[in-house]
PDB file of all heavy atoms in Angstrom:
ATOM      1  N   GLY A   1     -29.942 -27.590   2.724  1.00  0.00           N
ATOM      2  CA  GLY A   1     -29.724 -27.331   1.306  1.00  0.00           C
ATOM      3  C   GLY A   1     -28.291 -26.928   0.997  1.00  0.00           C
ATOM      4  O   GLY A   1     -27.676 -27.406   0.037  1.00  0.00           O
ATOM      5  N   GLY A   2     -27.739 -26.039   1.825  1.00  0.00           N
ATOM      6  CA  GLY A   2     -26.359 -25.603   1.608  1.00  0.00           C
ATOM      7  C   GLY A   2     -25.359 -26.736   1.788  1.00  0.00           C
ATOM      8  O   GLY A   2     -24.390 -26.861   1.042  1.00  0.00           O
ATOM      9  N   MET A   3     -25.610 -27.612   2.791  1.00  0.00           N
ATOM     10  CA  MET A   3     -24.709 -28.741   3.017  1.00  0.00           C
ATOM     11  C   MET A   3     -24.821 -29.777   1.906  1.00  0.00           C
ATOM     12  O   MET A   3     -23.828 -30.396   1.515  1.00  0.00           O
ATOM     13  CB  MET A   3     -25.011 -29.382   4.373  1.00  0.00           C
ATOM     14  CG  MET A   3     -24.511 -28.575   5.552  1.00  0.00           C
ATOM     15  SD  MET A   3     -22.696 -28.489   5.596  1.00  0.00           S
ATOM     16  CE  MET A   3     -22.444 -26.824   6.173  1.00  0.00           C
ATOM     17  N   ARG A   4     -26.037 -29.965   1.381  1.00  0.00           N
ATOM     18  CA  ARG A   4     -26.187 -30.895   0.246  1.00  0.00           C
ATOM     19  C   ARG A   4     -25.415 -30.381  -0.965  1.00  0.00           C
ATOM     20  O   ARG A   4     -24.800 -31.164  -1.704  1.00  0.00           O
ATOM     21  CB  ARG A   4     -27.667 -31.072  -0.107  1.00  0.00           C
ATOM     22  CG  ARG A   4     -28.411 -31.964   0.859  1.00  0.00           C
ATOM     23  CD  ARG A   4     -29.742 -32.412   0.287  1.00  0.00           C
ATOM     24  NE  ARG A   4     -30.675 -31.319   0.099  1.00  0.00           N
ATOM     25  CZ  ARG A   4     -31.589 -30.948   0.981  1.00  0.00           C
ATOM     26  NH1 ARG A   4     -31.689 -31.594   2.141  1.00  0.00           N
ATOM     27  NH2 ARG A   4     -32.415 -29.949   0.727  1.00  0.00           N
ATOM     28  N   GLN A   5     -25.438 -29.055  -1.157  1.00  0.00           N
ATOM     29  CA  GLN A   5     -24.683 -28.512  -2.285  1.00  0.00           C
ATOM     30  C   GLN A   5     -23.185 -28.714  -2.075  1.00  0.00           C
ATOM     31  O   GLN A   5     -22.433 -28.977  -3.019  1.00  0.00           O
ATOM     32  CB  GLN A   5     -25.018 -27.032  -2.470  1.00  0.00           C
ATOM     33  CG  GLN A   5     -24.553 -26.434  -3.785  1.00  0.00           C
ATOM     34  CD  GLN A   5     -25.197 -27.072  -4.997  1.00  0.00           C
ATOM     35  OE1 GLN A   5     -24.959 -28.236  -5.295  1.00  0.00           O
ATOM     36  NE2 GLN A   5     -26.001 -26.314  -5.718  1.00  0.00           N
ATOM     37  N   ARG A   6     -22.724 -28.623  -0.841  1.00  0.00           N
ATOM     38  CA  ARG A   6     -21.312 -28.895  -0.547  1.00  0.00           C
ATOM     39  C   ARG A   6     -20.964 -30.354  -0.838  1.00  0.00           C
ATOM     40  O   ARG A   6     -19.884 -30.651  -1.343  1.00  0.00           O
ATOM     41  CB  ARG A   6     -21.012 -28.555   0.915  1.00  0.00           C
ATOM     42  CG  ARG A   6     -21.018 -27.076   1.216  1.00  0.00           C
ATOM     43  CD  ARG A   6     -20.956 -26.792   2.717  1.00  0.00           C
ATOM     44  NE  ARG A   6     -21.059 -25.370   2.979  1.00  0.00           N
ATOM     45  CZ  ARG A   6     -20.015 -24.552   3.110  1.00  0.00           C
ATOM     46  NH1 ARG A   6     -18.792 -25.023   3.005  1.00  0.00           N
ATOM     47  NH2 ARG A   6     -20.191 -23.269   3.340  1.00  0.00           N
ATOM     48  N   VAL A   7     -21.888 -31.259  -0.506  1.00  0.00           N
ATOM     49  CA  VAL A   7     -21.665 -32.672  -0.831  1.00  0.00           C
ATOM     50  C   VAL A   7     -21.544 -32.852  -2.345  1.00  0.00           C
ATOM     51  O   VAL A   7     -20.674 -33.589  -2.830  1.00  0.00           O
ATOM     52  CB  VAL A   7     -22.814 -33.549  -0.273  1.00  0.00           C
ATOM     53  CG1 VAL A   7     -22.684 -34.991  -0.787  1.00  0.00           C
ATOM     54  CG2 VAL A   7     -22.806 -33.531   1.250  1.00  0.00           C
ATOM     55  N   MET A   8     -22.404 -32.152  -3.105  1.00  0.00           N
ATOM     56  CA  MET A   8     -22.337 -32.234  -4.561  1.00  0.00           C
ATOM     57  C   MET A   8     -20.989 -31.735  -5.074  1.00  0.00           C
ATOM     58  O   MET A   8     -20.421 -32.297  -6.014  1.00  0.00           O
ATOM     59  CB  MET A   8     -23.455 -31.400  -5.194  1.00  0.00           C
ATOM     60  CG  MET A   8     -24.804 -32.090  -5.245  1.00  0.00           C
ATOM     61  SD  MET A   8     -24.798 -33.563  -6.285  1.00  0.00           S
ATOM     62  CE  MET A   8     -24.301 -32.863  -7.855  1.00  0.00           C
ATOM     63  N   ILE A   9     -20.468 -30.679  -4.466  1.00  0.00           N
ATOM     64  CA  ILE A   9     -19.167 -30.149  -4.884  1.00  0.00           C
ATOM     65  C   ILE A   9     -18.067 -31.161  -4.561  1.00  0.00           C
ATOM     66  O   ILE A   9     -17.170 -31.406  -5.376  1.00  0.00           O
ATOM     67  CB  ILE A   9     -18.904 -28.784  -4.221  1.00  0.00           C
ATOM     68  CG1 ILE A   9     -19.900 -27.748  -4.745  1.00  0.00           C
ATOM     69  CG2 ILE A   9     -17.472 -28.319  -4.488  1.00  0.00           C
ATOM     70  CD1 ILE A   9     -19.842 -26.420  -4.038  1.00  0.00           C
ATOM     71  N   ALA A  10     -18.141 -31.765  -3.375  1.00  0.00           N
ATOM     72  CA  ALA A  10     -17.158 -32.800  -3.027  1.00  0.00           C
ATOM     73  C   ALA A  10     -17.217 -33.946  -4.020  1.00  0.00           C
ATOM     74  O   ALA A  10     -16.182 -34.460  -4.467  1.00  0.00           O
ATOM     75  CB  ALA A  10     -17.417 -33.313  -1.608  1.00  0.00           C
ATOM     76  N   LEU A  11     -18.422 -34.348  -4.397  1.00  0.00           N
ATOM     77  CA  LEU A  11     -18.598 -35.434  -5.358  1.00  0.00           C
ATOM     78  C   LEU A  11     -18.014 -35.064  -6.721  1.00  0.00           C
ATOM     79  O   LEU A  11     -17.397 -35.894  -7.397  1.00  0.00           O
ATOM     80  CB  LEU A  11     -20.091 -35.752  -5.482  1.00  0.00           C
ATOM     81  CG  LEU A  11     -20.514 -36.947  -6.322  1.00  0.00           C
ATOM     82  CD1 LEU A  11     -19.861 -38.227  -5.823  1.00  0.00           C
ATOM     83  CD2 LEU A  11     -22.032 -37.088  -6.299  1.00  0.00           C
ATOM     84  N   ALA A  12     -18.173 -33.797  -7.111  1.00  0.00           N
ATOM     85  CA  ALA A  12     -17.652 -33.349  -8.405  1.00  0.00           C
ATOM     86  C   ALA A  12     -16.130 -33.231  -8.399  1.00  0.00           C
ATOM     87  O   ALA A  12     -15.490 -33.382  -9.438  1.00  0.00           O
ATOM     88  CB  ALA A  12     -18.273 -32.002  -8.781  1.00  0.00           C
ATOM     89  N   LEU A  13     -15.542 -32.982  -7.225  1.00  0.00           N
ATOM     90  CA  LEU A  13     -14.101 -32.712  -7.144  1.00  0.00           C
ATOM     91  C   LEU A  13     -13.265 -33.907  -6.695  1.00  0.00           C
ATOM     92  O   LEU A  13     -12.039 -33.881  -6.839  1.00  0.00           O
ATOM     93  CB  LEU A  13     -13.836 -31.559  -6.170  1.00  0.00           C
ATOM     94  CG  LEU A  13     -14.397 -30.191  -6.537  1.00  0.00           C
ATOM     95  CD1 LEU A  13     -14.083 -29.205  -5.422  1.00  0.00           C
ATOM     96  CD2 LEU A  13     -13.818 -29.707  -7.851  1.00  0.00           C
ATOM     97  N   VAL A  14     -13.908 -34.959  -6.185  1.00  0.00           N
ATOM     98  CA  VAL A  14     -13.164 -36.004  -5.481  1.00  0.00           C
ATOM     99  C   VAL A  14     -12.167 -36.736  -6.379  1.00  0.00           C
ATOM    100  O   VAL A  14     -11.162 -37.258  -5.898  1.00  0.00           O
ATOM    101  CB  VAL A  14     -14.150 -36.997  -4.804  1.00  0.00           C
ATOM    102  CG1 VAL A  14     -14.874 -37.859  -5.844  1.00  0.00           C
ATOM    103  CG2 VAL A  14     -13.440 -37.852  -3.767  1.00  0.00           C
ATOM    104  N   CYS A  15     -12.415 -36.753  -7.688  1.00  0.00           N
ATOM    105  CA  CYS A  15     -11.463 -37.385  -8.613  1.00  0.00           C
ATOM    106  C   CYS A  15     -10.511 -36.374  -9.240  1.00  0.00           C
ATOM    107  O   CYS A  15      -9.800 -36.691 -10.203  1.00  0.00           O
ATOM    108  CB  CYS A  15     -12.216 -38.158  -9.696  1.00  0.00           C
ATOM    109  SG  CYS A  15     -13.064 -39.622  -9.083  1.00  0.00           S
ATOM    110  N   ARG A  16     -10.505 -35.162  -8.691  1.00  0.00           N
ATOM    111  CA  ARG A  16      -9.585 -34.097  -9.135  1.00  0.00           C
ATOM    112  C   ARG A  16      -9.675 -33.853 -10.651  1.00  0.00           C
ATOM    113  O   ARG A  16      -8.707 -34.025 -11.393  1.00  0.00           O
ATOM    114  CB  ARG A  16      -8.150 -34.449  -8.731  1.00  0.00           C
ATOM    115  CG  ARG A  16      -7.982 -34.673  -7.223  1.00  0.00           C
ATOM    116  CD  ARG A  16      -6.523 -34.922  -6.862  1.00  0.00           C
ATOM    117  NE  ARG A  16      -6.356 -35.050  -5.418  1.00  0.00           N
ATOM    118  CZ  ARG A  16      -6.251 -36.202  -4.772  1.00  0.00           C
ATOM    119  NH1 ARG A  16      -6.326 -37.332  -5.436  1.00  0.00           N
ATOM    120  NH2 ARG A  16      -6.100 -36.238  -3.461  1.00  0.00           N
ATOM    121  N   PRO A  17     -10.852 -33.427 -11.127  1.00  0.00           N
ATOM    122  CA  PRO A  17     -11.043 -33.236 -12.570  1.00  0.00           C
ATOM    123  C   PRO A  17     -10.261 -32.056 -13.121  1.00  0.00           C
ATOM    124  O   PRO A  17      -9.896 -31.137 -12.382  1.00  0.00           O
ATOM    125  CB  PRO A  17     -12.546 -32.990 -12.687  1.00  0.00           C
ATOM    126  CG  PRO A  17     -12.908 -32.370 -11.372  1.00  0.00           C
ATOM    127  CD  PRO A  17     -12.046 -33.059 -10.358  1.00  0.00           C
ATOM    128  N   LYS A  18     -10.021 -32.081 -14.423  1.00  0.00           N
ATOM    129  CA  LYS A  18      -9.383 -30.960 -15.108  1.00  0.00           C
ATOM    130  C   LYS A  18     -10.386 -29.829 -15.363  1.00  0.00           C
ATOM    131  O   LYS A  18     -10.010 -28.665 -15.446  1.00  0.00           O
ATOM    132  CB  LYS A  18      -8.819 -31.435 -16.451  1.00  0.00           C
ATOM    133  CG  LYS A  18      -7.655 -32.403 -16.359  1.00  0.00           C
ATOM    134  CD  LYS A  18      -6.380 -31.671 -15.955  1.00  0.00           C
ATOM    135  CE  LYS A  18      -5.160 -32.569 -16.081  1.00  0.00           C
ATOM    136  NZ  LYS A  18      -4.790 -32.839 -17.483  1.00  0.00           N
ATOM    137  N   VAL A  19     -11.667 -30.205 -15.551  1.00  0.00           N
ATOM    138  CA  VAL A  19     -12.721 -29.237 -15.850  1.00  0.00           C
ATOM    139  C   VAL A  19     -13.874 -29.470 -14.887  1.00  0.00           C
ATOM    140  O   VAL A  19     -14.267 -30.614 -14.633  1.00  0.00           O
ATOM    141  CB  VAL A  19     -13.231 -29.372 -17.301  1.00  0.00           C
ATOM    142  CG1 VAL A  19     -14.462 -28.501 -17.542  1.00  0.00           C
ATOM    143  CG2 VAL A  19     -12.129 -29.006 -18.292  1.00  0.00           C
ATOM    144  N   LEU A  20     -14.410 -28.379 -14.343  1.00  0.00           N
ATOM    145  CA  LEU A  20     -15.587 -28.446 -13.485  1.00  0.00           C
ATOM    146  C   LEU A  20     -16.680 -27.610 -14.127  1.00  0.00           C
ATOM    147  O   LEU A  20     -16.481 -26.432 -14.412  1.00  0.00           O
ATOM    148  CB  LEU A  20     -15.267 -27.909 -12.093  1.00  0.00           C
ATOM    149  CG  LEU A  20     -16.426 -27.880 -11.097  1.00  0.00           C
ATOM    150  CD1 LEU A  20     -16.880 -29.293 -10.761  1.00  0.00           C
ATOM    151  CD2 LEU A  20     -16.027 -27.131  -9.832  1.00  0.00           C
ATOM    152  N   ILE A  21     -17.842 -28.224 -14.365  1.00  0.00           N
ATOM    153  CA  ILE A  21     -19.000 -27.508 -14.889  1.00  0.00           C
ATOM    154  C   ILE A  21     -19.983 -27.316 -13.741  1.00  0.00           C
ATOM    155  O   ILE A  21     -20.455 -28.293 -13.149  1.00  0.00           O
ATOM    156  CB  ILE A  21     -19.661 -28.281 -16.045  1.00  0.00           C
ATOM    157  CG1 ILE A  21     -18.663 -28.478 -17.190  1.00  0.00           C
ATOM    158  CG2 ILE A  21     -20.898 -27.545 -16.546  1.00  0.00           C
ATOM    159  CD1 ILE A  21     -19.181 -29.358 -18.315  1.00  0.00           C
ATOM    160  N   ALA A  22     -20.261 -26.065 -13.414  1.00  0.00           N
ATOM    161  CA  ALA A  22     -21.156 -25.749 -12.298  1.00  0.00           C
ATOM    162  C   ALA A  22     -22.412 -25.094 -12.864  1.00  0.00           C
ATOM    163  O   ALA A  22     -22.369 -23.966 -13.349  1.00  0.00           O
ATOM    164  CB  ALA A  22     -20.459 -24.824 -11.304  1.00  0.00           C
ATOM    165  N   ASP A  23     -23.527 -25.824 -12.827  1.00  0.00           N
ATOM    166  CA  ASP A  23     -24.781 -25.351 -13.408  1.00  0.00           C
ATOM    167  C   ASP A  23     -25.649 -24.740 -12.313  1.00  0.00           C
ATOM    168  O   ASP A  23     -26.271 -25.457 -11.530  1.00  0.00           O
ATOM    169  CB  ASP A  23     -25.507 -26.520 -14.087  1.00  0.00           C
ATOM    170  CG  ASP A  23     -26.744 -26.061 -14.853  1.00  0.00           C
ATOM    171  OD1 ASP A  23     -26.991 -24.840 -14.912  1.00  0.00           O
ATOM    172  OD2 ASP A  23     -27.464 -26.926 -15.390  1.00  0.00           O
ATOM    173  N   GLU A  24     -25.680 -23.413 -12.257  1.00  0.00           N
ATOM    174  CA  GLU A  24     -26.446 -22.685 -11.238  1.00  0.00           C
ATOM    175  C   GLU A  24     -26.163 -23.247  -9.839  1.00  0.00           C
ATOM    176  O   GLU A  24     -27.094 -23.647  -9.126  1.00  0.00           O
ATOM    177  CB  GLU A  24     -27.950 -22.769 -11.545  1.00  0.00           C
ATOM    178  CG  GLU A  24     -28.363 -22.202 -12.887  1.00  0.00           C
ATOM    179  CD  GLU A  24     -28.561 -20.700 -12.865  1.00  0.00           C
ATOM    180  OE1 GLU A  24     -28.205 -20.071 -11.856  1.00  0.00           O
ATOM    181  OE2 GLU A  24     -29.060 -20.156 -13.868  1.00  0.00           O
ATOM    182  N   PRO A  25     -24.899 -23.279  -9.413  1.00  0.00           N
ATOM    183  CA  PRO A  25     -24.580 -23.952  -8.146  1.00  0.00           C
ATOM    184  C   PRO A  25     -25.119 -23.258  -6.907  1.00  0.00           C
ATOM    185  O   PRO A  25     -25.112 -23.851  -5.827  1.00  0.00           O
ATOM    186  CB  PRO A  25     -23.050 -23.956  -8.135  1.00  0.00           C
ATOM    187  CG  PRO A  25     -22.665 -22.758  -8.943  1.00  0.00           C
ATOM    188  CD  PRO A  25     -23.705 -22.674 -10.029  1.00  0.00           C
ATOM    189  N   THR A  26     -25.582 -22.015  -7.037  1.00  0.00           N
ATOM    190  CA  THR A  26     -26.082 -21.297  -5.855  1.00  0.00           C
ATOM    191  C   THR A  26     -27.581 -21.013  -5.918  1.00  0.00           C
ATOM    192  O   THR A  26     -28.111 -20.293  -5.081  1.00  0.00           O
ATOM    193  CB  THR A  26     -25.329 -19.961  -5.678  1.00  0.00           C
ATOM    194  OG1 THR A  26     -25.522 -19.150  -6.846  1.00  0.00           O
ATOM    195  CG2 THR A  26     -23.847 -20.198  -5.473  1.00  0.00           C
ATOM    196  N   THR A  27     -28.270 -21.583  -6.918  1.00  0.00           N
ATOM    197  CA  THR A  27     -29.705 -21.376  -7.026  1.00  0.00           C
ATOM    198  C   THR A  27     -30.423 -21.898  -5.782  1.00  0.00           C
ATOM    199  O   THR A  27     -30.098 -22.963  -5.274  1.00  0.00           O
ATOM    200  CB  THR A  27     -30.254 -22.088  -8.274  1.00  0.00           C
ATOM    201  OG1 THR A  27     -29.680 -21.482  -9.426  1.00  0.00           O
ATOM    202  CG2 THR A  27     -31.760 -21.971  -8.374  1.00  0.00           C
TER     203      THR A  27
END
C-alpha cells in the first residue's frame, strides 16, 4: 500500500506540475 502511494506521487509529479492536490494521501 505504501509503495503504491509512492507510485501515485511519482505519477502526479512526473510532469513537474505547478500545483499538486493531495486528497487524503496518507489514509
Side-chain angles (χ1 to χ4, degrees):
M3 285 294 143
R4 284 195 294 266
Q5 193 63 293
R6 289 170 184 267
V7 172
M8 279 296 301
I9 294 173
L11 186 57
L13 296 177
V14 71
C15 291
R16 303 184 176 100
K18 292 285 189 72
V19 172
L20 178 66
I21 300 174
D23 187 4
E24 301 277 10
T26 60
T27 296

